[in-house]
Amino acid sequence: QPCCKALAPARHSYYYPTMKTVLASRSVEIPAGVTVEIASRVIKVTGPRGVLTRDFRHMAMDLRQVDNSIRVDVWFANRKQLATVRTVVSHIDNMMVGVTRGFLYKMRFVYSHFPINVTLNGENVEIRNFLGEKRVRKIKLLDGVKYVRSADVKDQIELSGNDIAMVSLTAAQIQGQTNVRKKDLRKFLDGIYVSEKGPMPEE
């Protein structure tokens, strides 16, 4: 005789179909003085300030140049794949801004008692006297990032470069090195924070 398990009804596996968009496309215009090369979803943007390259081969999409613009097409995409279209267009737009104007991040020192001392030693940004600690915090400047100590504003540094990812990541690493630990964060507000960011002002 068959056992009880054989007599038990089979569990139903329900299938919930997801709606797919046939074609989602966005375009970004190429500014004057910028040239773009696309080969197998690897895009190379050349401008007055330099060259930037980015690899989008991990995304399933069509990436091509149409007249004076870059067009991104995604076929039969679900909700998550649709979100990548706007992301890729934003990345390409940031590359074009980077090779024409560049990006600038301004950071201010915040302290209540112990003055924060920041210096540039070769390719390393060194932070001393944070909360009176003797430890020297070192952050390596990423590729293409320039460090300048503001002359007109007290306790401010400026990070600039063509690649927004490198500039913002350097700023994040500097801010992360001055995170206060094991103290009340409402009282100990010391640190180095981003006060202003965006494309460099046009001269």
Side-chain angles (χ1 to χ4, degrees):
Q1 276 196 347
C3 65
C4 297
K5 288 184 179 178
L7 296 174
R11 291 179 179 174
H12 296 287
S13 58
Y14 295 100
Y15 172 69
Y16 298 98
T18 55
M19 189 183 76
K20 294 198 173 184
T21 306
V22 177
L23 173 63
S25 62
R26 274 182 178 269
S27 298
V28 55
E29 192 173 337
I30 302 173
V34 175
T35 58
V36 178
E37 299 173 31
I38 301 173
S40 304
R41 284 176 289 177
V42 177
I43 184 166
K44 181 181 177 184
V45 180
T46 308
R49 289 179 57 90
V51 181
L52 288 176
T53 306
R54 187 137 189 172
D55 189 347
F56 294 108
R57 282 181 292 190
H58 61 286
M59 297 180 180
M61 67 179 66
D62 289 337
L63 193 62
R64 62 180 184 271
Q65 184 171 346
V66 179
D67 297 328
N68 197 37
S69 63
I70 304 295
R71 182 169 167 174
V72 180
D73 293 336
V74 174
W75 294 85
F76 300 103
N78 57 28
R79 192 159 174 246
K80 284 190 175 180
Q81 291 166 334
L82 282 175
T84 63
V85 180
R86 175 69 182 264
T87 302
V88 172
V89 167
S90 297
H91 283 319
I92 296 171
D93 188 46
N94 283 335
M95 292 169 73
M96 293 177 180
V97 173
V99 297
T100 51
R101 295 173 61 184
F103 289 95
L104 177 67
Y105 275 58
K106 295 181 180 179
M107 305 188 76
R108 295 291 299 270
F109 311 161
V110 177
Y111 53 86
S112 58
H113 186 271
F114 296 103
I116 301 174
N117 182 17
V118 180
T119 56
L120 182 65
N121 185 8
E123 291 186 350
N124 292 325
V125 177
E126 296 184 350
I127 303 171
R128 289 181 172 84
N129 202 37
F130 177 68
L131 291 178
E133 296 176 7
K134 298 294 184 186
R135 182 166 79 89
V136 180
R137 293 164 166 81
K138 296 181 181 179
I139 302 98
K140 190 177 186 299
L141 289 177
L142 298 176
D143 293 338
V145 180
K146 295 180 181 176
Y147 166 99
V148 174
R149 185 72 180 254
S150 300
D152 53 341
V153 181
K154 183 176 179 284
D155 294 334
Q156 177 175 283
I157 59 174
E158 298 177 7
L159 302 172
S160 60
N162 296 348
D163 193 344
I164 188 173
M166 294 297 178
V167 179
S168 60
L169 186 55
T170 304
Q173 288 176 349
I174 291 174
Q175 182 171 334
Q177 280 292 324
T178 57
N179 281 345
V180 179
R181 293 176 178 86
K182 298 182 179 179
K183 288 184 174 65
D184 187 354
L185 300 181
R186 297 168 297 179
K187 178 70 176 175
F188 293 87
L189 301 171
D190 295 36
I192 303 176
Y193 302 101
V194 175
S195 61
E196 194 178 328
K197 62 181 179 180
M200 283 190 185
E202 294 180 345
E203 296 178 356

